């Protein structure tokens, strides 16, 4: 049987990404439908989440599916010693699809290899976060009118940030120029830079972060320093407040530049920026609903054509 799981965005061609974005557009036009009536979606979150879990669950609910799952593994048999394999096999008996976030890199790949139902990776450690990338791509397209030839500035924790790792891989189809702005301790890992070289992706690295450096950006993608991934909390303390985007830093920004952030924000964007026309992170989070509706449908084998001809639209 074809494996319809989504483990990494790197598996998707340009054509497939564009197809999923078209699906998401249909859901932005009409998010409430009964397309998934009778289906059960499981959300297994072994790590904290607000947006990702709630938008996946909203996505399922607005399409008429029912949702089971947990937001905190402490209430599961994992605390009694049950293995991930057993949990996945068991939940596969109950649900048609599993959305899973796990702290171990590779957990989603492993689950997709053993589960008889599709797995959607909702984040695996510092590795990948493909559903976030779909909403990021949707947002970039929405704000720039294209995904091609853009200058994308990634700022903050490029070492542990899974959202930037996924975005980098997805953008290989679209001839981007990346700027990596990070303290040395949190620089983009060497294997992602190798990936850039292998795929002809241009990148420039910076440590300074000021109005001049970001003046060429089409997208300024801010990230949180991933406290939970540090083994040395002293190191976290040293780097955590290194890059704070302040309003005057936008003085030379392109008028069309948009600031994205996967959220949660801690101390990366000052609140005064929220009302600035460059700020787009809350609209970005809203797009998570539509992108995740598309991903759930695609994993369940529902096509764009079916969605376009859907007669179950409620509003
Ligand atoms: C991100 C994540 O979990 O990787 N959050 C999210 O899904 N929107 C980013 C983060 O936690 O910093």
């Amino acid at each position: 049987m074809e494996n319809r799981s989504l483990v990494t965005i790197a598996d998707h061609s340009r054509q497939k990404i564009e197809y999923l974005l078209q699906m998401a557009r249909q859901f932005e036009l009409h998010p409430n439908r009964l397309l998934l009536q009778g289906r059960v979606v499981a959300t297994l979150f072994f790590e904290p989440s607000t947006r990702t879990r709630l938008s996946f669950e909203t996505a399922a609910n607005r399409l008429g599916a029912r949702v089971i799952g947990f937001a905190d593994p402490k209430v599961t048999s994992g605390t009694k010693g049950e293995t991930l394999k057993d949990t996945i096999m068991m939940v596969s008996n109950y649900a048609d699809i599993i959305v899973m976030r796990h702290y171990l890199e590779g957990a989603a790949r492993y689950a997709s290899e053993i589960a008889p139902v599709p797995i959607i990776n909702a984040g695996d450690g510092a590795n990948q976060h493909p559903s976030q990338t779909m909403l990021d791509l949707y947002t970039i397209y929405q704000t720039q009118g294209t995904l091609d030839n853009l200058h994308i500035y990634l700022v903050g924790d490029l070492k542990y940030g899974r959202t930037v790792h996924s975005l980098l891989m997805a953008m290989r189809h679209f001839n981007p120029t990346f700027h990596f702005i990070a303290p040395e301790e949190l620089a983009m890992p060497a294997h992602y830079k190798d990936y850039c070289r292998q795929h002809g992706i241009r990148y420039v690295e910076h440590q300074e972060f000021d109005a001049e450096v970001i003046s060429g950006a089409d997208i300024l993608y801010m990230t949180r320093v991933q406290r939970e991934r540090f083994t040395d909390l002293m190191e976290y303390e040293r780097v955590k407040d290194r890059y704070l985007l302040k309003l005057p830093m936008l003085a030379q920004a392109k008028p069309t530049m948009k600031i994205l952030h996967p959220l949660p924000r801690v101390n990366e964007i000052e609140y005064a920026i929220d009302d600035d026309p460059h700020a787009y992170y809350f609209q970005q989070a809203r797009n998570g609903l539509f992108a995740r509706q598309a991903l759930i449908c695609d994993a369940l084998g529902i096509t764009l054509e079916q969605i376009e001809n859907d007669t179950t639209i409620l509003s």
Side-chain angles (χ1 to χ4, degrees):
M1 203 185 74
E2 188 194 0
N3 193 333
R4 302 198 62 88
S5 295
L6 175 61
V7 173
T8 165
I9 202 75
D11 291 344
H12 280 346
S13 63
R14 176 181 176 125
Q15 197 188 13
K16 179 70 191 233
I17 288 173
E18 288 174 343
Y19 176 89
L20 290 167
L21 295 178
Q22 277 176 271
M23 269 197 192
R25 175 70 189 141
Q26 293 297 316
F27 291 121
E28 182 173 12
L29 294 173
H30 299 290
N32 301 318
R33 307 159 181 251
L34 296 176
L35 256 179
L36 298 185
Q37 205 168 31
R39 313 273 194 136
V40 176
V41 175
T43 56
L44 311 187
F45 278 69
F46 293 88
E47 265 199 337
S49 169
T50 303
R51 272 149 297 274
T52 305
R53 187 176 62 82
L54 294 182
S55 62
F56 264 116
E57 295 189 356
T58 307
N61 282 318
R62 286 190 184 273
L63 295 176
R66 288 167 195 242
V67 178
I68 61 165
F70 54 83
D72 181 354
K74 286 205 284 291
V75 301
T76 71
S77 290
T79 56
K80 301 180 188 171
E82 185 167 63
T83 61
L84 179 61
K85 177 177 182 188
D86 287 2
T87 303
I88 293 292
M89 294 309 286
M90 204 265 319
V91 175
S92 300
N93 289 327
Y94 305 150
D96 300 301
I97 180 170
I98 297 174
V99 177
M100 183 178 85
R101 169 170 287 186
H102 203 281
Y103 47 86
L104 288 179
E105 301 185 13
R109 168 78 61 203
Y110 172 71
S112 77
E113 284 166 2
I114 58 165
V117 300
I119 301 285
I120 297 186
N121 181 5
D124 62 328
N127 190 29
Q128 295 285 309
H129 196 346
S131 70
Q132 177 71 39
T133 300
M134 283 313 303
L135 77 93
D136 292 344
L137 295 175
Y138 190 79
T139 306
I140 293 170
Y141 186 82
Q142 188 175 58
T143 60
Q144 308 297 317
T146 180
L147 290 174
D148 288 300
N149 310 320
L150 296 173
H151 292 256
I152 300 184
Y153 288 52
L154 305 177
V155 185
D157 188 346
L158 309 187
K159 181 178 180 189
Y160 297 118
R162 55 194 170 198
T163 65
V164 291
H165 300 157
S166 277
L167 183 60
L168 178 86
M169 292 176 130
M171 286 304 297
R172 77 185 186 281
H173 305 296
F174 304 101
N175 190 39
T177 303
F178 277 107
H179 290 252
F180 301 150
I181 305 179
E184 205 181 338
E185 301 90 322
L186 299 177
M188 185 61 81
H191 61 278
Y192 288 106
K193 290 193 245 171
D194 288 344
Y195 186 91
C196 288
R197 282 189 284 273
Q198 282 157 17
H199 291 87
I201 301 174
R202 289 174 299 281
Y203 69 85
V204 186
E205 290 187 281
H206 310 261
Q207 283 189 19
E208 62 287 4
F209 180 48
D210 56 31
E212 167 127 26
V213 170
I214 61 179
S215 62
D218 295 307
I219 294 291
L220 185 59
Y221 194 103
M222 303 297 298
T223 65
R224 172 181 71 91
V225 178
Q226 308 279 296
R227 182 177 190 275
E228 64 275 33
R229 312 265 178 245
F230 282 75
T231 43
D232 175 359
L233 282 183
M234 292 296 283
E235 183 168 320
Y236 170 74
E237 290 298 325
R238 274 198 301 277
V239 292
K240 74 177 173 36
D241 297 322
R242 198 74 74 82
Y243 296 134
L244 171 62
L245 184 63
K246 297 192 177 134
L247 203 48
M249 291 167 69
L250 302 178
Q252 299 173 42
K254 290 190 191 183
T256 52
M257 186 276 272
K258 293 294 177 205
I259 303 162
L260 305 188
H261 191 312
L263 304 175
R265 150 174 61 176
V266 182
N267 194 25
E268 303 83 50
I269 303 176
E270 71 171 6
Y271 283 88
I273 289 183
D274 293 0
D275 298 322
D276 186 273
H278 293 291
Y280 208 78
Y281 25 94
F282 293 117
Q283 294 96 321
Q284 177 190 6
R286 180 171 182 269
N287 288 335
L289 170 60
F290 316 127
R292 289 175 171 126
Q293 287 183 307
L295 292 175
I296 294 173
C297 285
D298 184 62
L300 288 172
I302 295 169
T303 64
L304 175 61
E305 199 187 347
Q306 278 171 281
I307 295 166
E308 284 169 344
N309 298 322
D310 180 20
T311 56
T312 70
I313 291 172
L314 297 175
S315 59

